[in-house]
Amino acid sequence: MSNDPLVLLTQVLIASALWMFALWLIQLRHHNASLADAGWCAGLIAAVVWYALMVEGDAARRMLVAFMVGLYAARLGAYIVFDRIVRKHEDARYRAMRLRWGPNEPVLMFVYFLMQAAAIGMFSLP
């Protein structure tokens, strides 16, 4: 395995794109695009843990940073899961997007989910 930053970022972007693609397929069936928000949180946790395991440096510092980011993303993700997925109330912005996009909604929602994968890569960089 390489610990080259560009290789690691590429791995995170590919894994995130596959993850968000899977979530997009699920939301096609359940019509709850709030999965994108929860998936973003889970993807960020996975990316940061991946970096912490793969890079060199002080292990305690790497684990502390991974823990702090993981705690932030887990708290946010848990709120989204319980408020917008378990209770089945899709966020109002997604309902508005569906109405605005009309028949193009599936394709545009796919693009939106892939943009979330890119956001995972961006937010995981620091």
Side-chain angles (χ1 to χ4, degrees):
M1 289 275 176
S2 173
N3 63 1
D4 177 89
L6 187 56
V7 170
L8 292 174
L9 176 60
T10 302
Q11 292 168 340
V12 163
L13 289 172
I14 291 170
S16 297
L18 292 172
W19 170 240
M20 296 308 286
F21 173 70
L23 291 176
W24 174 76
L25 289 174
I26 293 168
Q27 76 82 33
L28 281 177
R29 181 179 177 138
H30 297 283
H31 301 286
N32 190 340
S34 294
L35 283 171
D37 299 333
W40 182 88
C41 293
L44 182 61
I45 293 169
V48 171
V49 168
W50 178 248
Y51 291 147
L53 293 173
M54 298 306 295
V55 299
E56 296 176 6
D58 182 29
R61 184 176 299 184
R62 290 182 289 141
M63 294 304 128
L64 178 62
V65 171
F67 175 76
M68 289 188 312
V69 173
L71 186 63
Y72 156 76
R75 182 204 58 81
L76 178 60
Y79 169 76
I80 292 166
V81 165
F82 289 113
D83 187 60
R84 298 189 186 135
I85 296 172
V86 172
R87 293 183 187 168
K88 307 230 188 274
H89 296 294
E90 182 178 54
D91 191 288
R93 64 192 159 118
Y94 293 122
R95 287 191 302 267
M97 289 163 67
R98 287 181 196 283
L99 289 173
R100 186 172 55 246
W101 290 343
N104 296 324
E105 179 267 326
V107 172
L108 293 173
M109 193 64 76
F110 175 69
V111 171
Y112 178 81
F113 270 67
L114 287 184
M115 287 174 35
Q116 295 301 308
I120 290 170
M122 268 187 6
F123 277 82
S124 72
L125 284 175

